[in-house]
Structures are given as structure tokens and as C-alpha cells.
Amino acid sequence: MITERSLEVLRAIVGDYVATSEPVGSQRIVDRHGFNVSAATIRNDMSALEEAELITAPHTSCGRIPTDKGYRVFVDRLAEVRPLSPAQRRAISQFMAGTLDPEQLLDRSVRMLAQLTGSVAIGHLPSLLNTDVHRIELVPLHERRVLTVLITDSGRVEQRITELREPASAELLERLRDRFNEQLVGKRLRDAAALLRNPQDFLAPEDVAAATPLAAALVDQVLANQHHRLVIAGAANLARSERDFSTILPLLEAIEEQVVLLRLFTELDINDREVAVSIGHEHENATLEETSVVATQYRAEGGAARVGLLGPTRMDYSNNIAAVRAVARYLSRLTDDLHD
């Protein structure tokens, strides 16, 4: 049974192992953490933690280290996220001052995160391609079913079938098509998406209800024309923690190729959390099973972007979560200032 004291023992093991990279024994815990119990009692707690697969012995007759499952319990229940120091906050502000360009801000934030944490910092910015709307067509398939067609000036064609709430006449669809084209042809995709999110701004009031699902479909078609920009800094930091990996070469290759990291970063479930953490064997890709990822979203022009860290599972989760959260909040504020 895992008691509250056993969980505190786990917290001590994680903290000491992250700090020293050495397995942690019961006597060290007694000496350093003030549990006011004997080493034998701590050994009993450690046995319970080991039985629950939260810690393990890397060698016979030595201390214990956290498992991926142990790190997960630590992050979810035990980690105390320390706020950044005033000096760290000033460093972020000064380092990122002087530009409001989204890509430059991402570059600067990623370099700053790498410096603050000693990890590999990653930024993901989905950017709409520099193409324009060439033509929009609304093709009736049924009285309540319409094929929306978006054609860009690069020749790409995106199509969606949209169900309407009420039947739409051919005259109504023709009127909406003409109005969409008047407003959107020649517009950059990012600007077109912004207009389509508020169709009431350019349509007659009696047409808004019918046009809303069509505009939503066209927004999806615009966003299908986006590409992903991945910014990475601090790969050299992995060399300082090379002993945490059985072999570092596949990880460096994954960073260089970016495809694995892009998939991990874009699929990480952040929506319901302020900061998401993916640990070790929780990654689908075996190349990353000795790493952890800490990431969050921030508000960027055209939608949500992501920023975060990759490092060994033996990382300072409390500090890294705080750093990622602080940089993301700063980026969101800068984006808001840009649009005020």
C-alpha cells in the first residue's frame, strides 16, 4: 500500500536522483530529508514503491531510481512548480524584446528556453502558406447538402461536403458564392480565415444562418493549406546528459530529421492542461523512450502554437514546467499586444 509518507519518499528519491544522477539509498533519505523515522522504516516505504513499480534498482544492493511510472506520479501529484526568479523573468523579457514578428519571437523563445533549462527547446508554429484565394464554388448536391470548393492561386483544390440546417435554393447559393468571392478572392489564406470566422460582417442578415456552416467548412479548407515550422535549439545540451541515454545517436538523428519530433509535438494532448508532460515509454516512438517532453500552447497569429522542451527522463520537472509556462504566457501577451 502506498502511504502519504511513501509518496514523500518518492518525492525525495526523484529530487535527489535528478540532482545527483546517483541511485538514492534509505540512509541518504534519512540524513537529508528529515523524516524522523529510521532507515529501516524508509526501506519499507521503498519496498512498497518498488512493488508498485514506481522505483527500481539499477544494480543489486544499491539505491533506487525512479521509473517512468514513478516520474508520472511525481509530475501528476507531487511536483511543486517553482515560479521563476525575478532575474529569470527579466532575462526572458529582455531577450524577447524588440520584435513582434511571430517567427522571430518563436526563435528567441526557443533559444531562451534552451538556456534556462539546459534541455532541447522546441517551438512549433503552424503557418498558413503565402498563397491567395483564387476562387470559391458552392455546388448543390441536395437541397441541404453543398460541396464547398476552395481553389488557391497555387492551384491547390480543397473540397468539403457540408450539411445545412435548412434547404437552400440555387439562387441563395449563387448569391452566397458571389459574396464569398467578392470578399475573399485575392486575400491571403490567413486573412481569408479571419473573415470567414465572422460571416455576419459581410453578409446580409437574412443570409447569415445559411452561410455559417458553409463559412466554417471553408475555414477548415483554408487551414488544410497550412505548413508546420519546427524550431529547435540546444541540441548540444544532450551531450551534457549523455550518461542518461543508452545511446544518444538515434535521438540526435531524430532531432536532425525533425519528422519524429513534429509528430510528437503536434499530437501531444495539451488542450485540457496548462502544461503537458509525456514521459519515457509513454511516447509511441521507441527512439524517444529515454526522454521526456514538456510542452504547452500559446496564442499566435492565426491560431495556437506550441513551445516546449525535450530532455532525459531525469530532468528537473518543476523548473522546466515553470520555464515553459512562463515563456508561453509571455508569447501570448505579445500576440495580444500586437492585435490590440
Side-chain angles (χ1 to χ4, degrees):
M1 179 178 178
I2 304 301
T3 65
E4 287 301 315
R5 189 183 63 223
S6 296
L7 290 175
E8 288 303 310
V9 170
L10 175 62
R11 187 205 301 270
I13 292 171
V14 171
D16 284 6
Y17 181 60
V18 167
T20 67
S21 76
E22 297 294 335
V24 182
S26 57
Q27 190 60 53
R28 177 186 175 89
I29 294 173
V30 170
D31 294 342
R32 286 178 53 85
H33 296 279
F35 278 91
N36 296 319
V37 295
S38 67
T41 299
I42 296 297
R43 283 195 292 275
N44 289 335
D45 290 323
M46 293 174 70
S47 294
L49 292 171
E50 191 165 14
E51 187 173 339
E53 300 181 340
L54 301 181
I55 62 174
T56 189
H59 307 289
T60 305
S61 301
C62 73
R64 302 297 186 266
I65 65 174
T67 63
D68 290 353
K69 186 177 177 181
Y71 283 125
R72 170 53 62 195
V73 171
F74 175 80
V75 168
D76 289 347
R77 299 180 57 181
L78 304 174
E80 296 176 349
V81 180
R82 301 183 298 271
L84 297 185
S85 69
Q88 288 174 315
R89 291 196 297 269
R90 282 195 303 272
I92 294 173
S93 178
Q94 292 169 3
F95 194 80
M96 299 174 65
T99 181
L100 290 177
D101 177 78
E103 296 199 1
Q104 290 185 18
L105 283 172
L106 186 63
D107 287 339
R108 292 188 182 191
S109 66
V110 166
R111 293 201 303 274
M112 170 54 67
L113 266 179
Q115 292 178 15
L116 284 175
T117 63
S119 298
V120 179
I122 305 168
H124 169 244
L125 185 66
S127 301
L128 294 180
L129 294 173
N130 293 323
T131 55
D132 300 340
V133 175
H134 176 67
R135 183 72 181 168
I136 289 172
E137 295 289 345
L138 302 178
V139 181
L141 302 177
H142 184 268
E143 63 179 7
R144 294 169 60 177
R145 184 177 297 165
V146 177
L147 177 70
T148 58
V149 183
L150 171 72
I151 306 170
T152 71
D153 64 356
S154 66
R156 181 164 179 175
V157 179
E158 288 287 340
Q159 303 180 73
R160 296 286 190 280
I161 294 177
T162 303
E163 297 286 341
L164 303 181
R165 301 186 188 94
E166 301 292 337
S169 66
E171 292 78 10
L172 172 58
L173 292 178
E174 184 177 345
R175 186 165 69 247
L176 292 176
R177 180 202 64 195
D178 291 345
R179 193 65 179 136
F180 281 140
N181 280 300
E182 288 173 9
Q183 291 293 312
L184 302 175
V185 169
K187 293 283 196 306
R188 290 294 170 119
L189 293 181
R190 178 181 285 111
D191 298 330
L195 286 168
L196 286 165
R197 289 189 178 99
N198 298 286
Q200 69 277 4
D201 292 346
F202 60 88
L203 292 174
E206 63 271 19
D207 292 340
V208 171
T212 297
L214 298 173
L218 287 167
V219 169
D220 289 341
Q221 289 163 252
V222 168
L223 296 180
N225 284 272
Q226 66 185 3
H227 71 282
H228 300 277
R229 181 166 187 252
L230 203 65
V231 180
I232 301 174
N237 289 331
L238 290 177
R240 301 186 183 95
S241 54
E242 185 172 1
R243 62 183 295 182
D244 290 306
F245 304 102
S246 54
T247 174
I248 201 172
L249 183 58
L251 180 56
L252 292 174
E253 290 175 344
I255 291 172
E256 184 176 353
E257 294 175 1
Q258 298 193 1
V259 176
V260 172
L261 293 185
L262 179 59
R263 181 175 180 182
L264 171 65
F265 229 54
T266 54
E267 294 181 354
L268 192 62
D269 183 14
I270 297 176
N271 295 327
D272 296 331
R273 315 173 195 181
E274 187 176 27
V275 178
V277 181
S278 182
I279 301 170
H281 289 83
E282 295 173 359
H283 307 316
E284 291 185 4
N285 191 293
T287 303
L288 304 176
E289 66 184 12
E290 295 178 321
T291 71
S292 286
V293 173
V294 178
T296 192
Q297 295 185 154
Y298 69 92
R299 292 185 298 278
E301 185 179 2
R306 297 185 172 198
V307 64
L309 300 167
L310 178 144
T313 55
R314 189 187 65 84
M315 67 162 56
D316 187 343
Y317 290 95
S318 296
N319 177 74
N320 289 357
I321 290 171
V324 167
R325 184 174 61 186
V327 169
R329 287 177 175 175
Y330 196 92
L331 285 165
S332 292
R333 286 199 301 270
L334 289 176
T335 301
D336 291 343
D337 291 345
L338 180 63
H339 292 90
D340 284 345

